[in-house]
Amino acid sequence: MKPESPLRRLAIAGGLALALLVAAALAMTVGPGEFSLGEVLRTLATELGGGEVDRRAHGILWELRLPRVLLAVLVGASLGAAGAVTQGLFRNPLASPGVLGISTGAAAAVVAGFSFGLDERALWATPVLAALGAVAMLGALFGLTARRQDLAYLLLTGVALNALAGALSTVLLAIFLDRYDLAQKAMAWMMGSFDGRGFRHLSWASLPLLAGLAGAWSLHRPLDVLVLGEETAATLGVERGRLRLGAAVVVGLLVGTSTAIVGVIGFVGLIVPHLARAAATRAGRGLAHARLIPLSMVVGAALMLAVDTLGRAMSPTFLAPGALTSLLGGLFFLWLLRRETEVG
């Protein structure tokens, strides 16, 4: 296969970016209030140019839909990248933050924060707790699966940790059963939604998520070497402990911050890397992590944008993105598990 030219790479990246921008613009036309694509583009251009904008268009398009769309893109890219890193780290196509309990660990930590009112005392409490919960669950996975690398053991360990974290959330809600506000807030948050999110949420989530995305891409070389096996990777200079620590920090940032800002969005980290690999294979490109991770970011952003737009389009019934991804992801996981079992 001929090496890919820099010009071709630039053209592909530009095409993907343009497609994502068009999808984002189209997503802003969906929802209460009739706006055509032309009206959306004119309003955004006027806002960016500092001109006078109709108050209704400003309130709906600029204040409500634009931050929601940007947050969907950022969260989708983050969960996609986290999934690619997790699968590369465990060298397993069935590994993902949702399947292995990492997302549930982040959720349990946040529910604990809700229960004791920590989220009301400091704005940073929820994202910090979510990141710590994700890192703690990933650390538990490392410890429990260090001596066994087979698929069944990894999945069973993930299922067990998922159940434990879910049980912890349930116990906390049962203890504070008399607090209706807590149950309502926790249940709405655990369904995963971009509802009510604005520029304030986008501003404080952007820095840790962008740092996590940069960190995910920086792991592409050691993850490529790790495909050859841990012993071979060690002889080529990849330190196992350092790689695991770096991956834990990156996945903790990406999953923890995403979970803290929009709630639990399941199975995106499982589906997206497979879609990215399929797209790379169809295009005749390699599957190195230097390409897989950025492609997973783009596919994840597009998937999350599509899911949120579909949920908003189902008026008057609103379907939370987390519920929809869990439904689609569960079916995809069953199909993938059956395929991997047949291949094995």
Side-chain angles (χ1 to χ4, degrees):
M1 183 185 297
K2 293 182 179 180
E4 192 174 62
S5 67
L7 186 60
R8 177 175 167 77
R9 290 183 184 179
L10 184 61
I12 293 173
L16 289 173
L18 180 61
L20 193 57
L21 284 174
V22 171
L26 290 173
M28 291 189 63
T29 67
V30 177
E34 296 292 332
F35 290 97
S36 67
L37 180 59
E39 290 173 321
V40 169
L41 295 177
R42 282 194 298 272
T43 300
L44 294 181
T46 305
E47 289 276 7
L48 293 173
E52 285 291 329
V53 181
D54 177 71
R55 291 181 62 183
R56 175 173 172 271
H58 172 83
I60 295 176
L61 296 178
W62 187 265
E63 295 293 339
L64 295 178
R65 294 188 189 173
L66 180 60
R68 180 175 185 141
V69 164
L70 293 176
L71 200 55
V73 168
L74 190 56
V75 168
S78 300
L79 294 177
V85 169
T86 304
Q87 290 180 10
L89 185 65
F90 286 98
R91 292 177 292 156
N92 196 305
L94 292 175
S96 77
V99 174
L100 299 181
I102 299 171
S103 299
T104 315
V110 173
V111 170
F114 287 165
S115 301
F116 296 103
L118 298 181
D119 60 309
E120 299 173 356
R121 299 178 187 178
L123 290 175
W124 49 263
T126 298
V128 168
L129 286 171
L132 289 176
V135 171
M137 195 63 68
L138 194 55
L141 269 173
F142 287 152
L144 293 170
T145 62
R147 296 184 179 182
R148 294 185 60 178
Q149 297 294 326
D150 58 283
L151 170 63
Y153 188 74
L154 174 64
L155 292 179
L156 288 173
T157 303
V159 168
L161 291 175
N162 221 328
L164 285 173
L168 176 60
S169 298
T170 303
V171 167
L172 286 170
L173 291 175
I175 291 174
F176 298 98
L177 191 60
D178 58 325
R179 291 175 52 188
Y180 175 75
D181 61 323
L182 169 63
Q184 188 178 39
K185 178 166 61 174
M187 289 305 298
W189 177 82
M190 290 177 74
M191 288 179 64
S193 174
F194 295 94
D195 240 15
R197 307 307 190 267
F199 280 113
R200 180 172 65 90
H201 302 86
L202 183 65
S203 63
W204 67 255
S206 296
L207 184 59
L209 288 181
L210 290 174
L213 290 173
W217 188 84
S218 71
L219 296 173
H220 72 272
R221 292 187 186 278
L223 288 175
D224 281 341
V225 177
L226 190 62
V227 173
L228 303 174
E230 291 193 358
E231 293 184 2
T232 304
T235 61
L236 294 175
V238 175
E239 297 180 21
R240 179 183 179 186
R242 186 175 179 180
L243 175 58
R244 287 191 165 191
L245 177 61
V249 172
V250 165
V251 173
L253 272 176
L254 294 174
V255 176
T257 306
S258 297
T259 304
I261 192 72
V262 298
V264 181
I265 307 288
F267 289 101
V268 174
L270 173 69
I271 299 173
V272 165
H274 288 277
L275 296 179
R277 289 189 190 96
T281 302
R282 184 174 292 274
R285 305 173 68 195
L287 296 178
H289 283 86
R291 292 172 176 171
L292 178 61
I293 292 174
L295 190 54
S296 294
M297 295 178 191
V298 176
V299 174
L303 177 64
M304 187 56 61
L305 191 60
V307 166
D308 185 53
T309 303
L310 178 62
R312 286 188 290 119
M314 296 179 66
S315 181
T317 302
F318 171 73
L319 184 61
L324 186 55
T325 59
S326 294
L327 176 62
L328 297 175
L331 296 173
F332 182 82
F333 179 70
L334 289 174
W335 171 81
L336 191 61
L337 181 61
R338 181 177 179 180
R339 191 190 71 172
E340 291 296 318
T341 303
E342 289 177 352
V343 172

